[in-house]
Amino acid sequence: MAEAATGQPPLEQRRGGAAAWLVWGVAVAFVIYLFSFQTGYSIVNAAVRKDVGLSVVQVGLVAAAYTWSFAVFQLFSGALLDRLGARRVLPPAIALVTLGVFVFAHAGAFETLIAAQLILALGACAGFVGAGYVGGQWFGMANFSVMFGLVQCLASAFSAFSQNLIGFALQYASWRELFDWIGAFGIVLLGVGLAFIRDPAPVRGIQHGIVAFLREVVIGILEVARIGHVWIAAAYGALCFGALLAAGVVWAPKLILVRGLPESTANLAASVLWLGLAVGCILVPRWSDAVRLRKLPAMAGIGLQLAALLALVYAPGLPSAALMALWFLFGLGAAAHMLAFSAAGDVVSLDRIGTSAAIVNGTMFLVSGLLIARPGQIAADAVAAGAAVTMTLAMEAFRPLTWGLVAALVLAALIRESYPRTRDEG
């Protein structure tokens, strides 16, 4: 019936192929584009502060504006993808991010920077989830875990060297010029997206007006949100990912410095962590599909991540090579957070897969914000009370990450096994 109506074979018969890889490649390029800006801000925020005249508090607020608004917008991006498809969602998302980059590059005041971050977050919320959605739609749900893991692998691999690349570029251009070039790349990417992003089958779209459409979007979110399994998966994935992001963005280099090693070694720690994640995001989803299980691979990954963190924080006298190996294993184990997307997707229909992924990803960013901030607050309070910056203080500061991973392991153990036994959509 569907074939007669559309002139195309059924969705499940149109998996893979050159067209699928092309659409998926554009979606992944969008994710990498997002990472280039996010990584860029972590490098240039000191220059932005000096140029625009920001206080230390305002620098933090600029970063927070993106993280928290991204988490909120994320809840709606998945539902929009489910209703409108990648063709109608991803090119406008690329356009919004590109606009946000240009607004940021030419901002002259704190308020303009905040506005730029809101524009960026509105577009970026469809990036990672959009790439996962494209993988599920074009390659089938049987390959959802592997394709989603490959997205994270490529993004992580880029993160492993992007800071050095941006730091090198800043030797020859100002931060404004650099972001102008990033914005110019966004224009090119938008053209490519408009030319090549397609959906493998017709999507529902807006059939009964904007109000009815928005009502359907909210209903879709509520339907998925009523499934307890989705929230358990989101919780263990968020704690696993939150510990990863806290270490990879802020705390891994600082822990190395507290151990008395040079700054060059400290900076290498974050790169090695992201490389471990890149490898893990290839191996863990494939292992899950090979054994047809979600719980065991998730528990093993989180357990490895926790064991590596305990050694990094509590084991005395480790040489730099051992520390780098442990950070690699920490990132490798953290790839278990990808199975949270798979576990949530297992229990929803195909037309709700974007919504489930958005709820999981939004939860991850909300929890990550807390886990990034909490160690710094503990350390600041201790230093204000007269404590010295030693490994004892580091142990105290890393306690939220440690207990977060313990909780993630317990949740992964409690969640029911959800790997599809009868559904074949690949």
Side-chain angles (χ1 to χ4, degrees):
M1 201 64 180
E3 184 174 0
T6 65
Q8 297 178 328
L11 174 62
E12 63 272 11
Q13 295 179 16
R14 287 180 279 125
R15 302 299 192 194
W21 284 106
L22 179 59
V23 176
W24 183 83
V26 176
V28 173
F30 180 35
V31 176
I32 293 175
Y33 178 53
L34 294 172
F35 269 68
S36 70
F37 176 81
Q38 293 165 355
T39 305
Y41 180 72
S42 68
I43 296 296
V44 306
N45 65 73
V48 174
R49 177 189 175 191
K50 180 179 179 181
D51 195 12
V52 182
L54 304 179
S55 67
V56 175
V57 173
Q58 287 176 325
V59 170
L61 287 174
V62 169
Y66 177 88
T67 301
W68 295 110
S69 57
F70 177 93
V72 173
F73 296 150
Q74 182 82 105
L75 294 174
F76 296 91
S77 66
L80 289 172
L81 284 161
D82 288 335
R83 287 292 188 273
L84 299 178
R87 171 65 179 171
R88 293 185 179 127
V89 173
L90 290 186
I94 296 171
L96 282 168
V97 170
T98 302
L99 174 62
V101 171
F102 279 122
V103 172
F104 196 98
H106 295 273
F110 170 70
E111 293 78 11
T112 310
L113 290 171
I114 293 295
Q117 292 288 60
L118 294 177
I119 296 169
L120 282 158
L122 185 58
C125 70
F128 188 67
V129 169
Y133 173 88
V134 167
Q137 293 292 319
W138 277 98
F139 293 92
M141 286 306 298
N143 298 307
F144 179 71
S145 294
V146 172
M147 297 308 298
F148 219 158
L150 191 54
V151 174
Q152 183 67 76
C153 170
L154 293 171
S156 302
F158 187 86
S159 294
F161 68 86
S162 60
Q163 288 186 341
N164 293 326
L165 179 64
I166 291 170
F168 175 79
L170 285 173
Q171 297 177 23
Y172 303 96
S174 69
W175 69 273
R176 293 186 187 274
E177 291 171 329
L178 177 61
F179 283 174
D180 272 337
W181 278 108
I182 293 175
F185 178 81
I187 294 175
V188 175
L189 184 61
L190 175 59
V192 173
L194 288 170
F196 295 111
I197 292 178
R198 296 289 185 274
D199 294 294
V203 292
R204 277 179 278 180
I206 301 176
Q207 299 174 340
H208 305 292
I210 296 295
V211 174
F213 167 71
L214 292 175
R215 186 184 301 116
E216 287 183 5
V217 168
V218 173
I219 290 173
I221 294 173
L222 293 176
E223 285 181 359
V224 175
R226 282 198 293 264
I227 303 174
H229 183 94
V230 171
W231 287 109
I232 299 174
Y236 83 67
L239 291 165
C240 175
F241 179 75
L244 164 79
L245 207 61
V249 173
V250 180
W251 300 112
K254 297 188 184 305
L255 182 62
I256 297 297
L257 290 173
V258 172
R259 280 184 170 271
L261 296 172
E263 187 174 353
S264 58
T265 303
N267 292 335
L268 181 62
S271 298
V272 170
L273 183 156
W274 290 113
L275 286 174
L277 178 65
V279 173
C281 285
I282 292 292
L283 297 180
V284 172
R286 288 187 178 276
W287 179 28
S288 174
D289 287 342
V291 299
R292 300 180 68 82
L293 296 170
R294 301 293 190 215
K295 286 182 63 169
L296 176 62
M299 291 175 63
I302 297 169
L304 176 61
Q305 187 184 12
L306 175 60
L309 183 63
L310 290 172
L312 284 159
V313 175
Y314 292 101
L318 294 175
S320 60
L323 293 171
M324 293 305 107
L326 286 169
W327 279 124
F328 181 89
L329 292 174
F330 179 89
L332 183 71
H337 83 272
M338 294 303 302
L339 295 182
F341 292 100
S342 305
D346 290 340
V347 298
V348 301
S349 59
L350 189 61
D351 65 347
R352 293 284 187 264
I353 193 67
T355 302
S356 70
I359 287 175
V360 172
N361 205 36
T363 304
M364 286 181 179
F365 271 84
L366 287 170
V367 173
S368 295
L370 297 173
L371 289 181
I372 288 173
R374 186 59 185 155
Q377 187 62 55
I378 292 173
D381 291 345
V383 170
V389 180
T390 63
M391 280 303 298
T392 301
L393 177 57
M395 293 174 190
E396 184 68 25
F398 269 77
R399 194 163 293 168
L401 275 62
T402 303
W403 284 111
L405 288 175
V406 170
L409 186 58
V410 171
L411 288 169
L414 292 177
I415 196 171
R416 67 179 174 85
E417 179 56 60
S418 61
Y419 195 94
R421 298 298 174 183
T422 58
R423 184 174 68 182
D424 184 7
E425 294 175 336

